[in-house]
Amino acid sequence: MSRKNYSEEFRRQAVELYESTPGATIRGISADLGVVRGTLTGWIDQYGTGTKTHVDGTRVHTPARPHNQRLGASDAPETVEQRLARLEAENAALRAETTKLTTEREILRQAAKYFGRGDEMVNRFRFVADHSDTYQVKRLCELVEIERSSYYAWKSAEPGRAARAEDDAQLAERIRVIHTEDNTYGAPRITAELNDGAPADEKVNHKRVARVMRENGIVGYRRRRRVTTTVPEPADRKVPDLLERDFTATAPNRIYVGDITYLPIEDGANLYLATVIDCYSRKLAGWAIADHMRTDLVADALRAAAQARNGLAGAVFHSDHGSQYTSKEFAALCDRLGVTQSMGMVGTSADNSLAESFNAALKREVLQNANTWPDEATCRRLVFRWVTRYNTRRRHSWCGHRSPNTYETLYTATLASAA
């Protein structure tokens, strides 16, 4: 690196800046101007006035000799040997500065690879740890702008982090086993599965499960699709909305909701599923599949629920205004079974959102990335498997992440213990 040439005006201004700045030091002024301290000292010897501004603003005399006189030197002018020694010292200082800057540039170049990997502060700590055998920790911390005390605190906690990472890896494997069995499960249901029957000291928090799933790319299947199957028909009688979007019940077999959804087949045909869902436990009490949407479909589902529940007398059944539910035949069936009908407003799916949610969950979890079932036989088989598992094993958030059957069993047990 070649030595810089400074004009005389620059040198005089540098000396004036040093002498006129209150409390200034040669180190500070040389750093501000980007010159070597020995060089600035030589300029002060050459151009200085022998005074210096104190921190309180007063001018004080300094030992510096004015103009062509050296500090602490005799009145004789600088000899050739002295000048050569001074220049060699300045060159040595310049070489040291160059080496320092080159080293810092190399350190920062290596540090750049650590950034952009997530937590920036952790990456800085990791960089210092990885290079502490090559460079001084103090220097590394200064370059990446972190406190040494913070780095050493992070370093001392490393064994604990390693242990937690190992625990997370083991938890991820347990999560994968559950997710492989049913890839529709998200963090809440997987948490419930992990904690089911586990001792208190082995239970895991749902936030930790969500974090481990996120870090390992484990995601419950999600699909958004909106389908309309309701065909309104003017009813012969006015049916009130007895639920008003309150899909709760104090006990099983009190309040039901139902709907029809279509099941698309690859050849362009459709099957249709009618449901009867208990609002207390979200249990699918009755259902029916057919290749049509006639009243017989919804009637078969309601009769299946009556058989499964040993009767529906006194229950409320809520639906939309589809022509099947407003028909005289279905109204007569409800009268024979002792069921009171309830209907939401025309054209408002939110008034029957519980049934709509069930339909969406079935298609999302069974079809997943497919748009259709390959054939009717496969469709019937897979839907049968899912609705059976829905009642017996699938964990429902409404039931505290228990299955509907388990939730109703707890209700029965509670009644028995209270008797």
Side-chain angles (χ1 to χ4, degrees), residues 223 225 262-270 366-375 378-379 382:
R223 190 172 190 231
R225 188 175 182 182
Y262 86 110
L263 309 173
I265 309 301
E266 188 173 328
D267 62 5
N270 292 318
V366 179
L367 279 177
Q368 299 196 7
N369 291 326
N371 293 319
T372 62
W373 280 274
D375 52 64
T378 302
C379 177
L382 295 181

Side-chain angles (χ1 to χ4, degrees), residues 78-307:
E78 185 180 30
T79 65
V80 175
E81 291 78 7
Q82 290 173 332
R83 179 177 178 82
L84 181 60
R86 178 170 59 81
L87 293 175
E88 287 179 349
E90 291 179 5
N91 284 335
L94 286 171
R95 287 193 297 271
E97 185 71 13
T98 300
T99 301
K100 176 184 176 183
L101 292 174
T102 302
T103 302
E104 290 180 353
R105 183 168 59 249
E106 176 61 21
I107 292 174
L108 292 174
R109 185 186 65 79
Q110 296 177 36
K113 300 177 182 178
Y114 282 72
F115 301 135
R117 300 181 182 175
D119 191 319
E120 181 179 343
M121 187 59 66
V122 171
N123 290 334
R124 295 180 188 221
F125 292 147
R126 174 55 58 195
F127 169 76
V128 174
D130 291 347
H131 294 80
S132 58
D133 292 338
T134 306
Y135 306 103
Q136 290 183 341
V137 170
K138 177 182 179 181
R139 191 173 188 185
L140 291 170
C141 290
E142 289 175 349
L143 287 175
V144 297
E145 299 179 349
I146 58 175
E147 297 291 335
R148 274 187 294 168
S149 59
S150 299
Y151 164 72
Y152 285 122
W154 176 85
K155 186 71 175 174
S156 64
E158 195 164 22
R161 287 195 301 274
R164 288 192 296 272
E166 177 62 26
D167 290 343
D168 285 350
Q170 295 177 5
L171 177 60
E173 289 304 312
R174 296 170 59 196
I175 290 173
R176 286 192 182 95
V177 172
I178 298 172
H179 189 260
T180 300
E181 181 179 351
D182 189 339
N183 68 347
T184 65
Y185 272 19
R189 287 176 181 159
I190 287 181
T191 303
E193 190 76 22
L194 290 168
N195 291 337
D196 189 14
D201 59 345
E202 295 182 8
K203 292 183 181 296
V204 293
N205 183 275
H206 71 280
K207 292 183 179 179
R208 182 186 175 202
V209 172
R211 174 180 58 78
V212 172
M213 290 179 66
R214 183 171 58 252
E215 292 174 352
N216 289 271
I218 305 173
V219 182
Y221 185 82
R222 295 181 180 180
R223 190 172 190 231
R224 296 291 182 263
R225 188 175 182 182
R226 183 176 180 181
V227 178
T228 302
T229 57
T230 301
V231 180
E233 179 181 81
D236 293 336
R237 60 178 180 174
K238 180 68 175 179
V239 177
D241 184 353
L242 301 178
L243 271 58
E244 295 182 346
R245 303 186 183 181
D246 180 10
F247 302 106
T248 62
T250 58
N253 201 24
R254 299 282 180 83
I255 301 175
Y256 293 90
V257 298
D259 194 18
I260 300 175
T261 189
Y262 86 110
L263 309 173
I265 309 301
E266 188 173 328
D267 62 5
N270 292 318
L271 291 178
Y272 300 91
L273 171 68
T275 57
V276 179
I277 304 168
D278 194 311
C279 287
Y280 174 77
S281 62
R282 275 40 176 177
K283 178 183 177 71
L284 183 62
W287 59 281
I289 292 181
D291 58 0
H292 61 79
M293 287 197 301
R294 295 190 296 271
T295 301
D296 290 346
L297 176 64
V298 297
D300 286 345
L302 191 63
R303 280 192 285 265
Q307 182 177 1

